[in-house]
Every structure is written in C-alpha cells, then in structure tokens.
Amino acid sequence: MKNKFTLLFIFIVTINLSALSQVDIKKSEDIRSFDGKEYYIHIVEKGHTLYSLSRVYEIPIDEIIFENPAAKTQLSIGQILKFPLSSRDVAVEQSLRSDGDEFFYHVTKRGETMEYIANIYLVSRGDLKIANPNLPRFLN
C-alpha cells in the first residue's frame, strides 16, 4: 500500500511540475517575404518544441519541418524558424473553393480509404469512382 501511495505522490508531483514548466510562446510579429511567400520569423527559446510551435502558429509539424529542414533533428535556442502566414492545407482549400466547380475537393490524408471518403460525403464508392476515374489504385 505504501508503494502505491508513493508512486501516486510522485506521479502527481511530476504532473504539477510539467504543468508549471510550460512555456508561454508568443506568435512573432516579424514578417518577411521569401520567394514571394510571407513568413513569420521566430527565434527559438528555451522550452519551445515543434508541437508547441505548431499550435501557436497553427501549422502542422510536417510543414514546419518542410520549411525548416534543420528542425527535424532538433531545435536549438536562438535557432531562426520560418512559419508561413497560412498553412498549405488552408491555401489548397482556398484555391479549390475559388475554382467555381460544382464538386467537392478532398485532400486525402494517410490512412483514408475510399469507403471512409464515401461515408463523409454520403455517396457510394461507385459514384466516387465514376467522378474520379484517375484515382490512385490504393484508394480503390
């Protein structure tokens, strides 16, 4: 019983310490243009992680790494990172919506199947195949 209590106490202390150690990250106001695309310029400080930065800048981690390949291995204090003003997902969605087509566009994510996509849009797999004759085989 004493061991269970000790473990519970250590667990609670660890949770409380990790909550206190969370760093408040502010979105940078420094915006610069590279190759016609605008980016927030962020300087990494102690406690910053890819996850916390992705939440602040509303950019998926894979996109942060795409824009900042050195961030894949580790973040260093003082490292300069670029964050697009809007994520690729948002840009693709906006351009697809502005086409004026009478179709829904869906950008697939890893693990999505034809059945899953058909259920989202309440259509049959057959109708999806007819509307999308050039779909990759793995989705069929």
Side-chain angles (χ1 to χ4, degrees), residues 1 6 13 25 27 29 32-33 36 45-46 64 87 108 110 132:
M1 181 72 168
T6 304
V13 169
I25 302 174
K27 188 184 274 190
E29 294 179 11
R32 298 184 194 169
S33 183
E45 296 177 9
K46 183 177 180 180
I64 295 171
S87 77
T108 59
R110 181 172 293 186
N132 301 280

Side-chain angles (χ1 to χ4, degrees), residues 16-53:
N16 287 334
L17 288 176
S18 68
L20 291 174
S21 67
Q22 289 181 356
V23 176
D24 184 33
I25 302 174
K26 292 187 170 66
K27 188 184 274 190
S28 174
E29 294 179 11
D30 184 4
I31 298 173
R32 298 184 194 169
S33 183
F34 297 95
D35 297 324
K37 189 173 179 182
E38 291 189 317
Y39 294 88
Y40 293 105
I41 303 302
H42 181 88
I43 300 172
V44 176
E45 296 177 9
K46 183 177 180 180
H48 291 188
T49 64
L50 286 176
Y51 177 75
S52 61
L53 291 168

Side-chain angles (χ1 to χ4, degrees), residues 5-135:
F5 177 73
T6 304
L7 286 174
L8 179 63
F9 178 75
I10 291 171
F11 178 73
I12 291 171
V13 169
T14 303
I15 295 295
N16 287 334
L17 288 176
S18 68
L20 291 174
S21 67
Q22 289 181 356
V23 176
D24 184 33
I25 302 174
K26 292 187 170 66
K27 188 184 274 190
S28 174
E29 294 179 11
D30 184 4
I31 298 173
R32 298 184 194 169
S33 183
F34 297 95
D35 297 324
K37 189 173 179 182
E38 291 189 317
Y39 294 88
Y40 293 105
I41 303 302
H42 181 88
I43 300 172
V44 176
E45 296 177 9
K46 183 177 180 180
H48 291 188
T49 64
L50 286 176
Y51 177 75
S52 61
L53 291 168
S54 74
R55 304 252 340 228
V56 169
Y57 287 94
E58 300 174 8
I59 302 289
I61 291 174
D62 66 329
E63 191 169 347
I64 295 171
I65 293 170
F66 176 79
E67 297 290 350
N68 306 278
K72 183 176 184 175
T73 54
Q74 73 176 31
L75 294 180
S76 304
I77 295 173
Q79 182 177 5
I80 297 173
L81 300 175
K82 300 184 311 187
F83 294 88
L85 264 54
S86 65
S87 77
R88 288 184 304 226
D89 294 346
V90 170
V92 167
E93 187 177 317
Q94 288 173 345
S95 78
L96 292 176
R97 283 187 181 171
S98 66
D99 281 351
D101 290 336
E102 295 181 22
F103 293 95
F104 288 100
Y105 289 91
H106 180 89
V107 178
T108 59
K109 293 180 177 65
R110 181 172 293 186
E112 291 183 342
T113 63
M114 178 75 78
E115 190 72 32
Y116 175 80
I117 296 167
N119 287 335
I120 291 173
Y121 298 105
L122 303 173
V123 297
S124 71
R125 287 183 65 200
D127 287 344
L128 271 180
K129 287 181 181 181
I130 291 169
N132 301 280
N134 297 324
L135 279 177

